Amino acid sequence: MNHSSTLSRGAATKALLSLAIGSFGIGMTEFVAMGLLPDIARDLLPDLWAASPEEAIGRAGLLISLYALGVVIGAPTIAGLVARFPRHRVMIGLALALTVFNALTVVLPSFGLVGASRLLAGLPHGAYFGIGALVAADVLGPGRRAQGAAFILTGLTIANVVGVPLGTFLGQSFGWRTAFLVVAVVFALATLCIALFVPEHPGDPGRSMLGEFGVFRVGQVWLTLGIGAIGFGGFFAVYSYVSPLVTEVAGAPEWAVPIVLVLVGIGMTVGNLVGGYVADRDLRRTLVIGMAVLAGILVLLAVLSFHIVLLGLLALGVGAVSSLLSPAIQTRLMDVAGDNQSIAAALNHSALNIGNSLGAFLGGTVIALGWGYTAPAWIGALLAAIGLGITMLAYRVQRAPVPA
């Protein structure tokens, strides 16, 4: 059912903006912890912080990995379970769950319980983006699937320009939990707007969870997931530890951290919008060139991050190139998934958050080993190079013609 012909332009805009408010909240909840890791470690792991701040920050990075693990688990499971239900009702339920689980992060007292809340908060993430991308693509019409996916992701990237730096500032000033209180309020607003402005959108009553899971029998799906899970991990290896990179490597004051986060967010916003456009025109070239450039710019970051101006410019570039790749990976998944569109759209976020978890884990590991705060950038460059290899392999072994 194509709503682009039945909705007025104003109604379609309201529907898309309502969904984007939720993606703004997801961008905040996923990324705001990265700029607040020292504050979280100091509060929740005081004994370890007193003994070794580096080790405490590395341990606090597990909260990022737990959120990402929630996305990995929840994206295919929830998308498969709800494929047959009306999509607008599913989106209301997902936004409400995000409200509740992020509110738990605000009030739970210990590191273990906060970790559990982060795992729960990650569960609806992939299904929200995946199903929201299908609704957006339907509203925008044929030939604009990547732009539909990019529109929903715009809320996430704008969160990195406004929400994450603001949350980081509030967290540094009034306690890290304040940032997650703002996140919960954003999700409450998204729930209300989706209920009011997203029109009825039928699911597919003929779909079943078992049927949706047939997507895992497609070899190209696994290769595309590998591109996101490993290649995109290069971005998260650096972004997860941007705070100590700014303060310890570049020697900048703590107030510079939100400024660097703004630059990353600006890059992500521009890259996402450009990525949707170029992926609709040449998907293969977007993936290959984008992954190669990401690897190269991460090497430059590892070498030149000692100067705050260079660090800021390179952080902007890393954000731009990584977000340019996101709608391309999602479109590639939808191309190779056949009829399993709901779960394919959600699986993109499983893949990216495996990258999130992998990057955060490896970055934290090399820091805890004492290799220094630039070591995650070298790890990131390696992961991006592997992602490039997987991309080239996927196209080389492709037998059946797939739109590119």
Side-chain angles (χ1 to χ4, degrees), residues 131-179:
I131 296 169
L134 294 176
V135 174
D138 201 26
V139 168
L140 287 173
R144 301 177 69 188
R145 291 174 310 142
Q147 291 174 68
F151 190 97
I152 296 302
L153 288 167
T154 296
L156 184 149
T157 59
I158 291 176
N160 283 276
V161 180
V162 180
V164 173
L166 176 61
T168 302
F169 172 76
L170 292 173
Q172 291 173 344
S173 302
F174 304 105
W176 65 268
R177 295 178 190 272
T178 307

Side-chain angles (χ1 to χ4, degrees), residues 1-162:
M1 181 176 181
N2 192 339
H3 285 265
S4 60
S5 59
T6 59
L7 285 181
S8 69
R9 184 171 182 177
T13 300
K14 288 179 182 178
L16 292 171
L17 288 176
S18 297
L19 297 171
I21 291 172
S23 66
F24 179 92
I26 289 178
M28 278 197 72
T29 195
E30 181 174 15
F31 296 125
V32 76
M34 297 172 180
L36 293 171
L37 280 184
D39 304 85
I40 295 171
R42 192 182 301 113
D43 180 40
L44 295 180
L45 300 166
D47 294 338
L48 186 58
W49 176 268
S52 171
E54 283 192 356
E55 190 174 347
I57 290 173
R59 179 80 60 83
L62 288 174
L63 296 179
I64 299 170
S65 297
L66 284 168
Y67 179 89
L69 179 62
V71 181
V72 173
I73 295 170
T77 306
I78 295 175
L81 284 171
V82 303
R84 65 183 184 274
F85 296 113
R87 289 172 181 163
H88 63 292
R89 295 182 185 175
V90 169
M91 295 303 290
I92 293 171
L94 293 172
L96 182 60
L98 286 161
T99 305
V100 172
F101 295 148
N102 280 278
L104 290 176
T105 300
V106 179
V107 299
L108 291 174
S110 68
F111 183 80
L113 289 174
V114 168
S117 76
R118 301 312 295 149
L119 178 71
L120 289 172
L123 292 175
H125 172 130
Y128 184 98
F129 275 121
I131 296 169
L134 294 176
V135 174
D138 201 26
V139 168
L140 287 173
R144 301 177 69 188
R145 291 174 310 142
Q147 291 174 68
F151 190 97
I152 296 302
L153 288 167
T154 296
L156 184 149
T157 59
I158 291 176
N160 283 276
V161 180
V162 180

